[in-house]
């Protein structure tokens, strides 16, 4: 008698596969345009298996936000900034690295956090809260790095929270423009503007007074 094929049971692997598919679809098509049927077909899972891990589409989206989008911000932004010699060097390195990666890739899908924030922040309070938490953690990490630099005698005239907000806003806006124009060079332009605005020269001080009105 031929040996019966052993059935494999890998619920964690199945869950990761569903998250992989959902993450890619939400990034490429958006949450609302990604149907559960399409996600199940792409992941190769049944409705019962999907709902065992994610009872609703909203639960799946929250898992993508909390596990995948947050991890992407941590890996792309927070870890490099914290590991850099200074906050400014870390911010510059991230802008340049992302621009170079996008130019090599040949297209711009945008920032995963931005894309979902634009689509979902007004749709549901749970989505808004989860996305806002990632933005807050991102800003906090940059501000804390500035404070660490200040303890080392640098950045004496810099407001850590304001610098962090400006850095996140500059990157988020740059990614939105780069996605629209399909031109990663916008990130370098915004980096130059950020560095000019947040530096200590006379021209920067004039610009800063305008920003603070």
């Amino acid at each position: 008698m031929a040996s019966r094929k052993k059935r494999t049971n890998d619920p964690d692997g199945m869950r990761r596969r569903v998250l992989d598919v959902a993450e890619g679809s939400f990034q490429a098509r958006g949450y609302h345009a990604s149907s559960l049927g399409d996600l199940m077909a792409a992941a190769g899972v049944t409705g019962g298996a999907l709902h065992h891990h994610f009872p609703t589409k909203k639960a799946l989206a929250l898992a993508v936000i909390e596990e995948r989008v947050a991890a992407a911000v941590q890996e792309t932004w927070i870890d490099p900034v914290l590991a850099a010699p200074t906050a400014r060097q870390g911010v510059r390195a991230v802008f340049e690295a992302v621009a170079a990666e996008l130019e090599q890739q040949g297209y711009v899908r945008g920032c995963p956090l931005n894309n979902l924030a634009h689509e979902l922040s007004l749709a549901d309070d749970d989505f808004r809260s989860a996305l806002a938490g990632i933005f807050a953690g991102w800003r906090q990490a940059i501000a804390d790095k500035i404070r660490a630099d200040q303890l080392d005698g640098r950045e004496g005239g810099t407001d850590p929270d304001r610098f962090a907000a400006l850095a996140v806003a500059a990157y988020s806006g740059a990614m939105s423009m780069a996605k629209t124009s399909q031109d990663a060079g916008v990130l370098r332009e915004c980096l130059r503007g950020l560095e000019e605005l947040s530096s200590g020269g006379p021209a920067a001080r004039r610009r800063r007074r305008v920003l603070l009105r």
Side-chain angles (χ1 to χ4, degrees):
M1 180 183 292
S3 61
R4 183 176 298 174
K5 186 176 181 180
K6 186 177 180 180
R7 181 180 178 184
T8 59
N9 185 19
D10 183 14
D12 290 339
M14 179 181 295
R15 186 179 187 277
R16 285 193 299 271
R17 188 163 69 251
V18 172
L19 284 173
D20 287 342
V21 168
E23 179 186 12
S25 184
F26 294 165
Q27 174 77 339
R29 302 170 58 192
Y31 169 79
H32 293 295
S34 300
S35 72
L36 282 178
D38 289 341
L39 296 176
M40 286 188 293
V45 300
T46 64
L50 176 69
H51 289 99
H52 171 73
H53 295 288
F54 308 104
T56 63
K57 185 181 176 183
K58 176 180 174 178
L60 174 57
L62 285 171
V64 168
I65 292 169
E66 293 164 359
E67 298 179 33
R68 298 303 180 82
V69 176
V73 172
Q74 183 76 36
E75 180 181 350
T76 301
W77 260 100
I78 295 176
D79 290 344
V81 168
L82 296 182
T86 69
R88 289 180 188 273
Q89 287 175 276
V91 169
R92 183 183 308 118
V94 171
F95 268 86
E96 292 176 345
V98 172
E101 181 179 347
L102 292 176
E103 286 167 347
Q104 183 177 14
Q105 179 175 279
Y107 60 90
V108 182
R109 284 188 174 176
C111 168
L113 179 57
N114 266 9
N115 290 345
L116 289 177
H118 291 164
E119 183 180 8
L120 299 179
S121 291
L122 295 180
D124 183 282
D125 284 343
D126 292 330
F127 287 145
R128 183 194 57 75
S129 178
L131 293 161
I134 298 174
F135 273 115
W138 182 3
R139 291 173 57 179
Q140 187 65 52
I142 297 173
D144 287 346
K145 183 67 173 181
I146 288 286
R147 292 187 180 95
D149 292 343
Q150 290 174 337
L151 291 176
D152 290 336
R154 295 183 290 265
E155 300 292 350
T158 301
D159 182 298
D161 295 316
R162 193 168 293 164
F163 176 85
L166 183 58
V168 171
Y171 179 81
S172 297
M175 286 296 285
S176 293
M177 289 189 290
K179 179 181 178 181
T180 302
S181 64
Q182 287 298 299
D183 179 10
V186 174
L187 276 90
R188 293 193 173 91
E189 294 175 14
C190 288
L191 172 61
R192 287 192 291 271
L194 171 64
E195 291 181 326
E196 289 175 4
L197 284 169
S198 59
S199 65
R205 285 195 291 272
R206 287 195 296 273
R207 295 188 187 95
R208 190 176 298 121
R209 284 198 294 272
V210 172
L211 287 176
L212 294 177
R213 287 177 183 170

